[in-house]
Amino acid sequence: MHKHYVNAVTIVAFFIALLTVLSIIAVHRTNVAHANQPAGIPCHTLSCHAMNPGHWL
């Protein structure tokens, strides 16, 4: 019984660590993508906003 408990805790800890690492990577990639976004002239027309992928995020 004790061995099953240790195995379950190990598996849960592994998946928590995996999700943590994947979350950190996702946040880092999002920050890099925002930092590399070109700072062009802002467009204030309706079609510009509708075609802008950032508008839908």
Side-chain angles (χ1 to χ4, degrees):
M1 180 73 178
H2 181 69
K3 185 176 181 179
H4 293 292
Y5 176 76
V6 172
N7 286 343
V9 169
T10 303
I11 290 170
V12 169
F14 171 77
F15 281 109
I16 289 173
L18 181 65
L19 287 174
T20 303
V21 169
L22 291 175
S23 297
I24 291 169
I25 290 171
V27 168
H28 176 69
R29 289 181 64 130
T30 302
N31 289 341
V32 169
H34 284 286
N36 291 337
Q37 198 172 24
I41 297 171
C43 179
H44 298 288
T45 63
L46 182 60
S47 63
C48 179
H49 287 295
M51 297 304 291
N52 183 1
H55 173 73
W56 301 104
L57 298 178

